[in-house]
Amino acid sequence: MRRLPVFFLLDCSESMIGGNLDKLKKGLQDIVMDLRKDPHALETVYISIIAFAGKAKTIVPLIDLISFYPPMLPIGGGTSLGAALRELRYQIDNKLHKTTPDCKGDWKPIVYLITDGHPTDRVGEELRIWREKYAQKVNFIAVSLGNSSDISVLHQLTETVIILNDNHQESFTHFIKWITASVSSHSQNINKDIALLNDYNNVLNLSDAKNYKPYDENCVVLVGKCSNTIRPYLIKYNLVDNVINLSKDQQQKYQLTGCYPVDNEYFDWSDEIKTSILVNTNQLIGTPTCPHCSNPSAFAMCSCGNLLCIDHTGLVTCPWCNQYLEFNMDMPNEDFDVIRGKG
Ligand SMILES: [Zn+2]
Ligand SMILES: [Zn+2]
């Protein structure tokens, strides 16, 4: 039986934490559950998942629908789309069955790229290789969750760029059903070269080129460690975008949207090169509590430059550098700069 390989390239960068990542995981489960009910899909569809944050890895190698088990999605700092495309090329070059005189190879693969941000690595060279050598070999659908993605980069990969503008569960569910239907219909009409997937109503085509950004402008994500459990957490702030007529000396403000526990795997998925872009605490609205130990503030900074949680006493050992610290809890907080993550 010839296989229909379906690759999912999933953005697991820290800006996806709190909502999008959970939705994505659930969405994958739904897709696989529904495809299993379709006899054509069941026979032909093979799924592979490539996750990317600061690094990119195949977390599910091509596998049939029955054996597929939804993976834990990692989370990390950075949106290395270039690394993800490199990994995809590797999979296409090495893991697909090629047609031989005795045997028909795999069908043309379908790739779904799902992202919410700007690439933080330099993707130019990868985009060029992709366009020259791979674009014709696959059906590529790029999906932007919200409109913070760099649409011009996505458009360089494919003409089919879908923007899911609103954040409602309904429209996400609709989108997941559409993926299922498109894979399903593709597996049934596989030997007709049908114009794939042009029925989605939010398809946009843009061609202006924007430059790469070393971080995601639309949110600020900071990493801290719990001083009691030594485990990391992510603090996420979203851009307050209703500021009208922002003058030059005014700075953008960001509102706290949540503080999420993560595990140490976060550091494995983050790129090693730290940004040196600072955000001042006067731009950040809201202080989180620690998601691991419930300490009242997860936003204390050690002289080593890292964030940690503190209780009412203000006495703590830094979980990053082990020095003993005394915070004066009676003093009003002064504003300070923190290094922002890549998002
Ligand atoms: Zn804590
Ligand atoms: Zn420290």
Side-chain angles (χ1 to χ4, degrees), residues 302 304 318 320-321 323:
C302 175
C304 72
C318 174
W320 298 86
C321 71
Q323 67 173 310

Side-chain angles (χ1 to χ4, degrees), residues 233-257:
Y233 52 78
L234 296 178
I235 311 170
K236 187 178 181 188
Y237 291 86
N238 275 343
L239 185 65
V240 178
D241 56 8
N242 55 3
V243 184
I244 303 158
N245 297 330
L246 199 67
S247 70
K248 264 195 183 146
D249 50 340
Q250 279 178 304
Q251 284 181 302
Q252 294 286 10
K253 298 270 186 200
Y254 297 85
Q255 173 71 48
L256 179 69
T257 53

